[in-house]
Amino acid sequence: MPSSSFLLLGRPHTGAWWLVLQIAIGVMLCLYAGQAMLRMYEQATAADGIDAADVLVIPWMQPAQGQDPGAKAVLRTLRGVAGVRSAAAGNQSPYGTSAWSVHAWKAGDRGHRHLVSLYLADEDFMSTLGMDDTHGRRFVNAEYQDYTGDQHRLHADPAPAIISAAFAETLFGHVEPLGRSLQLLPGKRLHVVGVLHRVPLPATAHRRDGTAVILPVRMTRASEAHFLIRHTGDANAVSARIRAALAAAYPDVVVAAPASLAALRAQASSGATRHAWTSLAICVAWWLSTLGMLGLGGHRWMLDHQQEISLRRAFGATDTQLAHRLRGEYLMLAVIACAIGMAAAALLDRLMPAWTISLPSLGACVAVLVVTVLVVQIAATWPVRLTRRIPPHLVSRSPSVRL
């Protein structure tokens, strides 16, 4: 076969570069869908620092006007229910729909304030949730105080605080955080006594970066508290007994049905699940359209260049040589498009903070490249078959080459 130009890429061909753009967008969609699926899996299965099994949450209570029974009385009632091992009250619960946040900053550095989730926890809060062991220490009984309802008087100054490892790294980097000070609201100073590796946040937390502060503050009003119950036995049976006990003790109070903490976690990750499957569906639909465009583009090109193929056959080109040449050019399309798509993803990740695509690991990039090449080679199958149907004598019918 004589040396000659490419079949598809050897001449100005706008259609080929449109195909490159189509494939490049498909590569970016693959990266996005893959990372969305990974986030969905991690959110559903990653360790969260608590033991959510056998924990029920009462997210709210609505007493009659002026008849709040008090969080202490409600806890006493809950602890008397058969099957309840422990009960605690806090201002919010992990994976709940109510979120408290506060600005905190390193002492002397108010210019760099951080919005973090704030937990007000009583003596049984951490043990009821089964939180991981603390680096440092937990609160002692003398450090707990009642919440007055005034967020500017959350604690005496200074007060102990337990913070998440993510917040400790944000504030202090790799320096030991124990014993260091931070500010919570103007003039309110905290000193760090413990660090938790993970602190699960409410589903509606203002930030999802794992930054949290826990203070030894008891909720006093039942209407402002979330009640956490660790139980034994069947969750539905315990839930029914809890509702019956609360209805008998406080007939004028409307109580939300206890919800499983594990179910709340699944519900909190439902948005990520929908997003991941939607991203995957869009990616698949885009690649199906790309596959069709590659096939139709190759078909149209073959119809427009039958005489060129016939001339190559007249010079001795075999089916295998034409197939290799055509598949090689489709391979070039795939490689060029992958490079453009990955470069665009990396560039947008740096230029636009809101852009959620970033380059994954090298292995994932190689996997995307391999899948792209396979899809493009599948699309090349039809044009390759068309080349076999073009006879070498077709060129003799053209007036421009007829002797």
Side-chain angles (χ1 to χ4, degrees), residues 180-250:
R180 293 186 173 271
S181 297
L182 64 143
Q183 297 288 125
L184 182 71
L185 302 174
K188 300 297 181 180
R189 186 162 56 92
L190 305 175
H191 66 274
V192 179
V193 299
V195 177
L196 286 169
H197 185 56
R198 301 180 186 89
V199 178
L201 305 182
T204 55
H206 293 88
R207 295 181 66 88
R208 304 295 182 87
D209 54 3
T211 55
V213 174
I214 303 176
L215 297 181
V217 179
R218 306 183 195 93
M219 302 302 293
T220 55
R221 296 177 58 84
S223 59
E224 297 174 343
H226 292 241
F227 295 94
L228 307 170
I229 304 106
R230 181 168 292 279
H231 65 88
T232 58
D234 181 67
N236 292 329
V238 175
S239 176
R241 290 196 291 269
I242 288 173
R243 298 188 69 180
L246 293 176
Y250 315 107

Side-chain angles (χ1 to χ4, degrees), residues 7 9 61 78 81 93 95 114 125 225 249 293 297 389 391 402:
L7 294 177
L9 305 179
M61 299 181 69
L78 291 173
V81 175
S93 68
Y95 311 115
H114 306 276
F125 185 86
M293 287 191 65
R389 301 179 181 180
R402 189 176 301 158

